Amino acid sequence: MRNAFADELTSLGNDDPRLVMLSGDIGNKLFDKFRAAHPERFINCGVAEQNMTGVAAGLAMSGMRPVTYTITPFCTTRCLEQIRTDAAYHDVPVTIVSVGAGLAYAGLGPTHHACEDIAFLRAIPNMIVIAPGDAWEVRAALRAVMQQNKPAYIRMGKKGEPLVHKGRLENFKIGESITIEQGSDVCLLSTGNMLPEVVEAAHALKAKGVSAEVVSFHTVKPLDEKRLQDAFSRYKLVATIEEHSLIGGFGSAVAEWIVDAGIAPKKFLRFGTPDAFFKKSGEQEFAREQLELTGHQIADRILHKLA
Amino acid sequence: MNAAYREPDVAALKARAAQLRGTVVTMCHDSSSAHLGSSLSCLDVLTAAYWHVLNIDPANPTDPDRDRFILSKGHAAMALYATLANRGYFPVEELKTYNQDNGRLAEHPPANLLPGVEAATGSLGHGLPIGIGMAVAGRIQKRNYKVYALLSDGENNEGSVWEGAMFASAQKLENLCVIVDYNKWQATARSNETLMLAPLAEKWRAFGWDAHEIDGHDVGELARRMQTLPNGSGKPVALIAHTVKGKGVSFMEDDNNWHYRAPTAEEVVKAHKELGLL
């Protein structure tokens, strides 16, 4: 996702002289092409994320299109007040792009885990919150936010995640989910970098005779309410899957919507991380397994719930 | 000295500052609000800025080439409102709606609501980074505007101020000026007894700024200094303006009770007399 972001950013920067890239002293070599092409529009802001976000707001107030970038907790939680007050309250087009969402940087420990950012950012008025499912969705999301005039958050995994889409997404729309696989029994609503696991879960379910629809719910805010209406009316079980706390994330957003829309869901399951810090060493795959977020574990729990 | 330098009309600026002080004292009484002392200490800076230094047109408040002034110490909103109204951004009559239900003049300056307010402030330590972003935008867009940010001394407690200070000097933002309203008090105590600011000018200098200590009530000197951007040093400029909290009203000066207290009707009359307005 990371390399796709840098590549798409360079391409967008070539076309739009308003685009300014602000990095929090990460991405060594990642932005070399952008920096070479637009040296005055690439700024390493150092390890000073509050200032970086305020600077981005000032740039946006002056007609520019700034993108801030660093590891998820540092460009979200670290400078949450600047996001809220400087960018969102002024309703200016600051785009926050984070790398290492959820447990992508599991091995770096809980300081670098990001399982609360969706909760924080979706509570802020005016904010758009997007968690792309693969590198193609990252590219499309970045392109889409640059075409509108609002503060936005794009939450990426890291580098090298499996691709789910086959190529460039021409019809990507903010707030409009994408059906990845069609099915008739259960509907799996995935957000962010869990998408490949969810596809795997669907395949495991198929092997057990359960037909699963897979939806990439890349936008957490605004929610694709039409798709939710459809999912809860057609399937005997709907599940939300995210690499984020069960408190306040995508699953919470859907649960809130269910109550407000007066829906009586047949069966509803939320997959996410628990209300606990994950302190053990190990990489993302290990952490997912421990937290029962692998494709097979997801499939097993769905089968249990259906039984 | 830059080409646009003009000698200020000091007598006119002094008269304007006194008038604004009277307006602010009245606003504070009428609304029973806080922050009178902080508003009075920074009014000479605002007067010099809006009546001599800034290249602005109140009839065209979003002109992309305008100079920007950010009241980072947003709790002095009364001083900003009195200034903007008298400078022609909105009717002076509207000052009566300060802190009233359904008005545009809240106790801290709002976002995207009132002409002339460049940035909503109130949470401290935000105005400088926003101003830096505006200064960087001016450089990218090759516009010649200048950016001014007025900070309180207590605001220098915030880490984001020093993040911005290091960033602005690394970026050589010589179109940027910080004015610190150094009135030696913060909300509940002496500023140097809360977090040690002194030596404040030396701190800004150490962070790569061209820093000067000036009398923050010498409105002529403020006007002269603030218009010297860019100064050819390749550095942003910090003016450490030594001020008195509650300046202009003898019984409010250097008395921190006026951080929260509002004057009675009798005290308003007494203050107006002292300011030469009655």
Side-chain angles (χ1 to χ4, degrees):
Chain A
M1 288 189 183
R2 192 176 66 185
N3 297 332
F5 160 64
D7 188 58
E8 198 69 26
L9 183 87
T10 306
S11 166
L12 285 162
N14 294 340
D15 297 336
D16 189 344
R18 300 172 305 171
L19 200 158
V20 184
M21 176 65 208
L22 306 171
S23 151
D25 202 32
I26 68 158
N28 187 32
K29 293 191 184 301
L30 186 64
F31 302 112
D32 280 0
K33 277 187 189 162
F34 186 97
R35 190 200 300 242
H38 313 291
E40 78 289 359
R41 289 194 275 127
F42 177 87
I43 305 176
N44 181 357
C45 294
V47 199
E49 296 83 8
Q50 295 177 67
N51 179 63
M52 173 167 73
T53 309
V55 167
L59 281 160
M61 290 173 193
S62 312
M64 307 302 288
R65 291 302 178 100
V67 176
T68 66
Y69 173 78
T70 187
I71 300 171
T72 308
F74 315 134
C75 67
T76 58
T77 317
R78 178 80 183 208
C79 49
L80 193 61
E81 203 198 42
Q82 278 76 14
I83 295 171
R84 172 189 175 270
T85 303
D86 303 349
Y89 177 25
H90 291 91
D91 201 11
V92 286
V94 170
T95 299
I96 299 145
V97 177
S98 83
V99 67
L103 298 162
Y105 289 149
L108 298 180
T111 55
H112 287 58
H113 299 170
C115 297
E116 309 89 26
D117 52 315
I118 291 176
F120 294 144
L121 270 81
R122 79 180 182 90
I124 297 175
N126 293 329
M127 283 299 301
I128 290 165
V129 178
I130 305 176
D134 77 351
W136 290 113
E137 288 192 11
V138 168
R139 288 175 182 269
L142 188 64
R143 201 159 275 273
V145 298
M146 284 294 148
Q147 283 165 4
Q148 48 84 62
N149 206 29
K150 304 282 288 181
Y153 173 46
I154 299 176
R155 176 191 206 251
M156 295 196 297
K158 50 181 177 179
K159 65 171 182 177
E161 289 96 342
L163 292 173
V164 175
H165 297 283
K166 291 184 175 61
R168 187 170 282 280
L169 300 169
E170 301 298 344
N171 297 315
F172 183 97
K173 286 197 180 70
I174 294 169
E176 201 171 287
S177 59
I178 303 171
T179 302
I180 304 290
E181 297 201 2
Q182 296 197 323
S184 52
D185 296 324
V186 300
C187 187
L188 309 182
L189 308 176
S190 172
T191 200
N193 47 342
M194 283 301 289
L195 187 58
E197 295 284 357
V198 175
V199 170
E200 201 180 309
H203 294 169
L205 286 167
K206 267 193 188 105
K208 300 274 183 184
V210 175
S211 170
E213 179 115 339
V214 176
V215 182
S216 179
F217 233 90
H218 50 74
T219 309
V220 177
K221 188 186 172 190
L223 279 175
D224 183 350
E225 297 184 8
K226 208 173 136 195
R227 193 69 175 89
L228 290 178
Q229 196 84 47
D230 170 72
F232 282 96
S233 64
R234 277 174 52 203
Y235 298 93
K236 53 187 167 196
L237 182 150
V238 177
T240 58
I241 303 109
E242 62 194 311
E243 201 164 73
H244 182 281
S245 173
L246 288 164
I247 299 173
F250 171 55
S252 292
V254 172
E256 289 159 15
W257 176 84
I258 287 170
V259 173
D260 291 344
I263 303 277
K266 291 166 198 130
K267 282 182 178 167
F268 177 44
L269 267 182
R270 297 191 301 137
F271 292 87
T273 60
D275 183 22
F277 291 103
F278 185 77
K279 296 179 184 174
K280 290 178 187 167
S281 66
E283 295 306 317
Q284 186 175 25
E285 294 70 22
F286 170 74
R288 282 183 177 173
E289 200 184 315
Q290 292 289 302
L291 300 176
E292 301 182 347
L293 286 172
T294 67
H296 283 275
Q297 289 166 319
I298 292 167
D300 286 349
R301 199 172 144 208
I302 286 169
L303 287 170
H304 182 74
K305 182 84 172 178
L306 284 173
Chain B
M1 203 66 71
N2 67 2
Y5 183 84
R6 291 177 300 122
E7 194 52 33
D9 179 345
V10 176
L13 291 175
K14 278 184 175 171
R16 177 65 69 180
Q19 177 223 335
L20 295 174
R21 284 195 161 89
T23 301
V24 163
V25 168
T26 302
M27 286 168 75
C28 187
H29 164 74
D30 291 352
S31 59
S32 299
S33 63
H35 303 133
L36 179 54
S38 320
S39 296
L40 292 173
S41 70
C42 68
L43 261 171
D44 295 299
V45 174
L46 284 161
T47 302
Y50 280 88
W51 274 273
H52 186 76
V53 177
L54 299 177
N55 176 28
I56 47 172
D57 175 9
N60 188 10
T62 57
D63 181 349
D65 288 312
R66 74 193 182 282
D67 287 344
R68 273 72 162 169
F69 187 97
I70 297 172
L71 180 78
S72 196
K73 45 171 286 180
H75 52 285
M78 281 189 294
L80 181 68
Y81 296 152
T83 298
L84 293 175
N86 281 282
R87 190 65 175 81
Y89 282 91
F90 56 88
V92 172
E93 195 66 12
E94 192 172 344
L95 293 176
K96 287 182 183 157
T97 68
Y98 170 67
N99 204 19
Q100 305 297 310
D101 289 350
N102 202 30
R104 295 193 292 178
L105 312 184
E107 284 191 68
H108 291 94
N112 312 333
L113 189 64
L114 196 63
V117 174
E118 294 286 0
T121 50
S123 178
L124 297 174
H126 288 245
L128 175 57
I130 290 172
I132 291 170
M134 292 174 174
V136 172
R139 184 171 69 189
I140 294 170
Q141 296 166 357
K142 297 185 168 43
R143 297 185 191 277
N144 292 321
Y145 64 76
K146 302 166 189 178
V147 181
Y148 297 85
L150 175 60
L151 277 59
S152 72
D153 49 358
E155 187 169 12
N156 284 252
N157 289 182
E158 295 281 6
S160 53
V161 168
W162 301 102
E163 289 185 5
M166 289 186 279
F167 179 88
S169 60
Q171 292 289 323
K172 301 182 171 56
L173 292 175
E174 57 178 6
N175 55 346
L176 175 70
C177 177
V178 154
I179 305 114
V180 179
D181 180 20
Y182 196 5
N183 64 29
K184 320 297 184 294
W185 285 107
Q186 44 199 83
T188 61
R190 286 282 180 196
S191 43
N192 275 317
E193 291 167 5
T194 309
L195 294 188
M196 182 53 77
L197 297 178
L200 191 52
E202 283 179 37
K203 280 198 173 71
W204 283 87
R205 250 174 240 132
F207 276 71
W209 289 55
D210 185 7
H212 305 279
E213 300 200 50
I214 64 173
D215 176 351
H217 300 306
D218 183 341
V219 73
E221 186 59 14
L222 283 164
R224 286 181 206 103
R225 289 280 194 173
M226 287 167 69
Q227 58 178 321
T228 55
L229 297 181
N231 62 3
S233 69
K235 295 175 179 180
V237 175
L239 300 178
I240 310 305
H242 290 277
T243 59
V244 175
K245 204 159 177 175
K247 175 69 180 181
V249 181
S250 63
F251 57 92
M252 295 179 187
E253 288 190 357
D254 206 38
D255 177 356
N256 211 34
N257 287 315
W258 294 95
H259 191 86
Y260 293 114
R261 234 200 97 179
T264 62
E266 294 72 28
E267 285 167 334
V268 171
V269 172
K270 206 173 153 194
H272 279 232
K273 276 184 185 158
E274 282 194 19
L275 290 162
L277 303 173
L278 286 177

